[in-house]
Amino acid sequence: MIPVNDSKSVQQNPDNATASPLAPEWLAVPADVNALHAPMWAEDVHRTGDGELAIDGVPVSELKAQFGSPLFVMSEGDFRARARSFKDAFDRAFEDICGGVDVYYAGKSFLCTAVASWVAEEGLRLDTCSGGELAVAARAGIDGGNLGLHGNNKSDAEINRALDMKLGRIVVDSLDELERVAKIASGRGETAKVMLRLTPGVHAHTHEFIATAHEDQKFGLSMAGDTTESAGLSAAEEAVAAATSYSNVELLGLHCHIGSQIFEPDGFALAAEKLLGFLAAMQAKYSIVLPELDLGGGYGIAYTPVDTPRPPAEIAQAMAAVVRSKCAELGITPPRISIEPGRAIVGPSTFTLYEVGTLKTVRVDAPAEAAGKENVTFPRRYVSVDGGMSDNARPVLYDADYSAILASRISDAAPQLSRVVGKHCESGDIVVRDVYLPEDVAAGDLLAVPGTGAYCWALSSNYNYLARPGVVAVRNGSARLIVRGETEEDLLNRDMGVANV
Ligand code: LLP
């Protein structure tokens, strides 16, 4: 196990006298509770002259008045800029290696037709992983050649749809699926363009990655040599052999995705080395050319002030150096590289706007090390907002940390350790576990939680019959809904008892 970025264990402001003993070690008392920590926010989020938060010049009070809350607020300019910066940085780093890089935006992080169009307009392609995502891409008019389809359990209908849309690549996840794709393509008298998703045994867990020989998970084809019945052949090699034997399959190359929210390039580089070694061996053994290699997504973003994402150029250069030297060492022509970032493009472009409701302070036993004596309690303030785990499941699902700021005004009150919670019937319904907010936060104030563009709306639910929030895109000083929020009517629509009355 190689620790890569353990920044959360570093206390930023250990001498600060007002720090609550209940706060996690990594959370510093902010010097200015109204200040925006730039890496967590879209580039055009600022405070107006009178202190209110505004995005591309539109104040949050206007957004609230027009669209209600909770609300996902996305900067179109920021999204486009981040999409472009990935494409430019990787193109530049890989230009002399393979003529540039194909960047597939991972639609699972957030997708609607507007976003699919921006992606295409900025010169990116689109990675999908279900028939539903393909339907969005089709509605947005995305050329099938610029689409990829993932999934460990693609249905025959999804495979047929991919062939109907003449998809640029179907990323095959198993031997079983490979056979089905070949059969379906053969039945249609067509050829399916296929990549093989491999599991290189490099696994990234947030701040570190682990290299193991075997993978024990549902995705991909194992590269370990003893995982199939055929003596000595890995599942990955069996798939290469099978793919080259099917006349209705065009094997484009190999794919891997080592995990998500990764800060350091080491894991990507190691995976690239392993896949290139395998690619070279397969080319030699089966007398084939595998012209493409996809290194997946997973680039980390700042959810809190202690997260330190690397700029795309830095990651691209590190990955390019490895691809260049490994290909030279292996004596192979470098394959065309592609990547699949989702979170790093859409995550920071968006914040969620909530209205504060109930406030409650509880007394909590001091952590033993902080108390020094018995029976000491400290206050923790619970700030309830009008959404919660239905619009952001990540804290519940992954213990994910977020941050929050008072958005409707600035305050000169002292910072107070707070926990922002939702309105669901679930004690784990936490939006921001620990954050310092001004002491005078009150019902009716608006809070903004940054970095919610990825895997928040996408994972949203109707738990407790809450309507899922809308998504607003702001550009050049005007805001428009790109996904409207649900209404109670929407929620009742599918209830057959209601529909039949
Ligand atoms: N490519 C493949 C094959 C993937 O499975 C994923 C994410 C991506 C690309 C994009 O990864 P990104 O650049 O967005 O990290 N719900 C979890 C994340 C699940 C990621 C699934 N796959 C979360 O909210 O953290």
Side-chain angles (χ1 to χ4, degrees), residues 233-401:
L233 286 196
S234 63
E237 179 168 351
E238 265 201 43
V240 171
T244 52
S245 74
Y246 292 128
S247 55
N248 291 81
V249 165
E250 180 186 346
L251 182 56
L252 294 175
L254 308 176
H255 173 284
C256 72
H257 170 75
I258 61 167
S260 266
Q261 186 61 357
I262 303 166
F263 289 101
E264 302 289 326
D266 316 33
F268 299 118
L270 183 58
E273 279 194 9
K274 283 192 146 195
L275 262 81
L276 284 167
F278 181 79
L279 182 141
M282 293 301 101
Q283 292 193 150
K285 185 164 174 184
Y286 295 93
S287 304
I288 51 172
V289 176
L290 298 172
E292 296 189 29
L293 176 63
D294 192 307
L295 296 171
Y299 311 99
I301 65 167
Y303 285 110
T304 72
V306 294
D307 291 329
T308 50
R310 302 287 184 93
E314 208 178 311
I315 303 169
Q317 281 155 18
M319 287 166 71
V322 166
V323 170
R324 188 184 288 111
S325 69
K326 191 71 184 173
C327 288
E329 178 196 320
L330 294 163
I332 57 168
T333 304
R336 172 85 179 178
I337 300 293
S338 50
I339 56 167
E340 297 170 335
R343 184 193 320 263
I345 292 176
V346 70
S349 74
T350 301
F351 63 81
T352 310
L353 190 63
Y354 296 104
E355 182 176 332
V356 173
T358 304
L359 292 143
K360 183 186 288 181
T361 299
V362 300
R363 304 289 307 184
V364 179
D365 288 342
E369 69 277 11
K373 47 188 169 174
E374 306 250 319
N375 301 327
V376 182
T377 62
F378 290 94
R380 187 192 317 279
R381 183 178 53 167
Y382 280 82
V383 177
S384 297
V385 294
D386 49 355
M389 62 190 286
S390 54
D391 58 72
N392 189 354
R394 297 192 70 258
V396 188
L397 276 178
Y398 317 114
D399 263 341
D401 285 313

Side-chain angles (χ1 to χ4, degrees), residues 53-304:
L53 200 71
I55 177 164
D56 202 355
V58 182
V60 289
S61 57
E62 269 181 36
L63 294 168
K64 162 77 177 167
Q66 198 177 346
F67 304 105
S69 66
L71 183 69
F72 287 99
V73 183
M74 181 180 289
S75 161
E76 180 177 343
D78 187 88
F79 180 101
R80 286 178 181 270
R82 285 178 206 274
R84 262 195 318 272
S85 78
F86 266 94
K87 177 73 177 132
D88 291 349
F90 276 78
D91 267 351
R92 220 169 296 134
F94 282 86
E95 190 168 8
D96 65 325
I97 301 175
C98 54
V101 166
D102 298 317
V103 180
Y104 287 76
Y105 167 70
K108 70 198 79 184
S109 56
F110 175 77
L111 191 62
C112 65
T113 54
V115 159
S117 307
W118 304 343
V119 162
E121 284 161 15
E122 297 304 333
L124 279 71
R125 301 182 179 199
L126 181 62
D127 163 39
T128 66
C129 66
S130 70
E133 290 183 4
L134 281 179
V136 177
R139 281 296 176 94
I142 308 298
D143 187 281
N146 289 331
L147 295 173
L149 177 64
H150 269 285
N152 66 301
N153 188 22
K154 300 176 189 74
S155 65
D156 288 3
E158 286 170 326
I159 293 167
N160 272 299
R161 186 172 208 158
L163 293 171
D164 287 344
M165 291 173 69
K166 306 206 180 320
L167 241 62
R169 49 166 68 166
I170 298 174
V171 186
V172 165
D173 201 85
S174 63
L175 286 159
D176 187 44
E177 184 194 331
L178 182 60
E179 199 181 320
R180 268 189 312 124
V181 169
K183 200 166 150 198
I184 291 172
S186 160
R188 296 168 59 112
E190 294 171 15
T191 298
K193 293 183 173 172
V194 158
M195 306 270 287
L196 297 176
R197 177 167 178 175
L198 309 189
T199 48
V202 178
H203 216 73
H205 283 290
T206 309
H207 295 295
E208 60 192 27
F209 70 84
I210 304 162
T212 63
H214 292 89
E215 291 278 0
D216 185 7
Q217 49 124 333
K218 71 173 184 171
F219 291 113
L221 293 145
S222 174
M223 292 171 72
D226 54 357
T227 49
T228 66
E229 300 297 310
S230 327
L233 286 196
S234 63
E237 179 168 351
E238 265 201 43
V240 171
T244 52
S245 74
Y246 292 128
S247 55
N248 291 81
V249 165
E250 180 186 346
L251 182 56
L252 294 175
L254 308 176
H255 173 284
C256 72
H257 170 75
I258 61 167
S260 266
Q261 186 61 357
I262 303 166
F263 289 101
E264 302 289 326
D266 316 33
F268 299 118
L270 183 58
E273 279 194 9
K274 283 192 146 195
L275 262 81
L276 284 167
F278 181 79
L279 182 141
M282 293 301 101
Q283 292 193 150
K285 185 164 174 184
Y286 295 93
S287 304
I288 51 172
V289 176
L290 298 172
E292 296 189 29
L293 176 63
D294 192 307
L295 296 171
Y299 311 99
I301 65 167
Y303 285 110
T304 72

